[in-house]
Amino acid sequence: MQLDKKLNLIKKMLKKKKESPILELYIKDYNNSNFYISLLYNRTIEKFKVLYIPLDVVDSKIEEYCCYQFMEVRSVAYITEEIKNALPNYEKKASRDYRNKNITNFTLELDVYMNKKKYDFYATRYLPKEWEFFFEAVVMLFEHAPNIVSELATEILSVIMNANENIDYQVSLNCDLETSDLKHYFPSLQDEKKLKEGKIEFLENVNGKYYGVIEKHLVIIEYNNYRKILNIYCDKSEFVHSIFTFQILQKIKNKQEQKFYKINLTNKKDNKRYNYLCLGVVSNGIKVIKHNKITTLPFSTIKEGSIKILEDKDNKLKEELGKVMDS
């Protein structure tokens, strides 16, 4: 049964049971899985409930797949007040749409029914930091859902919690990296005469993602081996389907890495610490990966703070940095 038909069945069921949604969370094609979670008010018994439905297993008997948990009035009042206070800033539809236009999966839809209106919010994979007012509500929804989706909640909220940085992947593929012929995903590589390989300077798996630098360009690869989903980002979008990305994927497939330098920089003014993947010393500073871009931290910034080398191949970074700092 198609997903839209399943969602229509849910709406009909709620109407029949006299249950009014206050907040609905639709999770669509997220690692090839689909879920529905909502905060409802049952008008018959005058109680608030959280409804969880695993959409992938649903058939026409929708009631058989419903998982309900009651929620306290006090908790509902708290989270709805947080959302209601933020809604005046989101009257325009464009302000409620944070979807990545390059990929169609990992869709999050939050529908809010307040002030006699429906507000539809959209995002791809993570809730953006700007929507922090949804944090408590989403936490409580998942607290009243089965434990099997607890990790999903952590991932969806990871950007708001500053535990992750949003990456605007340009491509998301269903691909078995171990067994697939990768050239199938790169049609431009069919003409072998036109291929001009680049030099891979760095490639390393860090926090579940592969960061690669090839010909001064950053490529980020995320691969879910269980779900067989491959997400690709390049700092220059026209290189996403190029020989450069193909080379990076081949190295990943062959389990070959070329590790980055790692540094920690402490800002003396606010005492905040920042960890960076480092590419080395250049004429005007240290080249690092920051906000999914290759950038240079000027020497003036480094001298104003405190730098610590966390990982260094053959002490090369220490030697280069020492020469510059001494001069």
Side-chain angles (χ1 to χ4, degrees), residues 251-265:
K251 288 278 188 181
I252 294 172
K253 186 174 183 177
N254 295 330
K255 296 179 172 56
Q256 296 173 304
E257 289 189 324
Q258 295 166 235
K259 290 193 172 185
F260 289 88
Y261 304 110
K262 315 287 192 317
I263 63 170
N264 173 277
L265 187 64

Side-chain angles (χ1 to χ4, degrees), residues 123-171:
T124 299
R125 192 163 188 178
Y126 311 109
L127 291 188
K129 289 183 179 179
E130 291 84 350
W131 295 358
E132 194 169 355
F133 57 91
F134 275 129
F135 180 80
E136 296 289 352
V138 173
V139 167
M140 288 190 185
L141 285 179
F142 278 95
E143 282 180 345
H144 290 74
N147 290 334
I148 194 171
V149 290
S150 59
E151 289 187 9
L152 178 59
T154 302
E155 183 170 352
I156 289 172
L157 295 169
S158 62
V159 170
I160 291 179
M161 294 188 296
N162 295 315
N164 196 0
E165 188 165 358
N166 190 24
I167 299 172
D168 287 326
Y169 295 106
Q170 292 107 331
V171 176

Side-chain angles (χ1 to χ4, degrees), residues 208-224:
K209 300 178 183 66
Y210 288 92
Y211 291 79
V213 176
I214 180 169
E215 296 297 324
K216 300 180 180 179
H217 289 286
L218 175 64
V219 177
I220 302 176
I221 303 290
E222 182 185 49
Y223 180 59
N224 185 321

Side-chain angles (χ1 to χ4, degrees), residues 279-326:
L279 286 66
V281 177
V282 290
S283 60
N284 59 335
I286 296 182
K287 195 168 283 189
V288 299
I289 295 174
K290 182 179 180 181
H291 302 316
N292 305 323
K293 299 289 182 184
I294 297 175
T295 188
T296 300
L297 299 177
F299 289 125
S300 57
T301 300
I302 296 167
K303 289 177 180 178
E304 288 172 1
S306 173
I307 188 169
K308 182 179 180 181
I309 298 175
L310 303 177
E311 190 170 334
D312 186 0
K313 295 174 288 188
D314 302 323
N315 291 321
K316 186 177 179 181
L317 180 64
K318 183 180 179 181
E319 290 175 7
E320 292 182 359
L321 190 58
K323 291 177 183 178
V324 172
M325 300 304 278
D326 289 341

